Amino acid sequence: MKRVQLTTNFYKRVQGYWSLDLATCHKEAFEMLNDIDSPLLLELYAYSNDHYVAKNWSGKTLGEWWWDNRSPEWAYKFMNDMHNLYYEFSKRTLVQDGVTYRLSYVDMHPGNVLVNQHGVPKVIDYDSIGWVREKNITYYQAKATYAISHFLELE
């Protein structure tokens, strides 16, 4: 099995302590993105550990789009697609030095989703895709779900 150089660049504060949690080796993570069948992902054309080129996508941020187009059906479909995307991420694993990592996206929020004029959303900003220790994977899935679902409240 190929050994992957893991660099760590994401810290989170847990009960008063800073703990290292996201191991990024972007090239290997980016290689997997084009294999994930999700309507939320842009196609990547080129990538390295510190750079990627994705299909051009234009639109409004989820925040801007949502204020103009509040649709419960759209919100339910988007949340379903987002859950499916995180499930597909979590199926990609990396075991190194006895530690299991799962692919995840740790920066899901309304500013990292663009919605075009037809209501089609795409996740942007793939710099925060990386390897999360398996024991912490549900934390990031729950955090993303909360960040988006709280924002999509219909009042």
Side-chain angles (χ1 to χ4, degrees):
M1 179 175 172
K2 177 179 161 189
R3 183 162 177 81
V4 174
Q5 178 61 41
L6 295 176
T7 58
T8 52
N9 67 354
F10 187 84
Y11 296 84
K12 70 175 183 169
R13 191 155 176 94
V14 180
Q15 298 175 352
Y17 299 97
W18 288 101
S19 68
L20 208 50
D21 197 48
L22 177 70
T24 59
C25 45
H26 285 125
K27 186 174 183 223
E28 287 77 7
F30 291 157
E31 286 173 356
M32 295 182 175
L33 288 183
N34 284 339
D35 293 333
I36 295 175
D37 184 23
S38 171
L40 296 179
L41 292 177
L42 294 172
E43 182 180 353
L44 297 182
Y45 295 121
Y47 44 82
S48 66
N49 269 333
D50 58 2
H51 179 76
Y52 65 89
V53 178
K55 179 180 178 180
N56 188 29
W57 190 260
S58 61
K60 296 180 178 181
T61 66
L62 176 59
E64 295 167 332
W65 188 87
W66 183 248
W67 291 114
D68 295 336
N69 301 281
R70 291 176 181 253
S71 164
E73 293 80 15
W74 185 93
Y76 297 141
K77 179 169 183 344
F78 175 75
M79 291 300 295
N80 185 61
D81 289 344
M82 190 181 76
H83 284 285
N84 289 339
L85 176 59
Y86 272 84
Y87 175 66
E88 289 299 318
F89 281 162
S90 71
K91 290 195 294 188
R92 276 62 180 185
T93 61
L94 170 73
V95 178
Q96 195 156 296
D97 298 328
V99 178
T100 301
Y101 297 89
R102 292 189 182 270
L103 191 63
S104 189
Y105 180 64
V106 300
D107 197 24
M108 178 68 79
H109 59 78
N112 278 346
V113 177
L114 289 183
V115 184
N116 72 9
Q117 72 263 18
H118 304 292
V120 178
K122 295 289 183 183
V123 174
I124 60 169
D125 189 9
Y126 295 156
D127 290 343
S128 296
I129 289 177
W131 300 99
V132 173
R133 288 177 185 258
E134 185 174 54
K135 67 180 185 173
N136 297 327
I137 195 73
T138 55
Y139 168 81
Y140 290 107
Q141 292 173 339
K143 182 179 171 188
T145 299
Y146 178 78
I148 298 294
S149 63
H150 180 70
F151 183 79
L152 295 178
E153 289 178 359
L154 293 171
E155 297 179 357

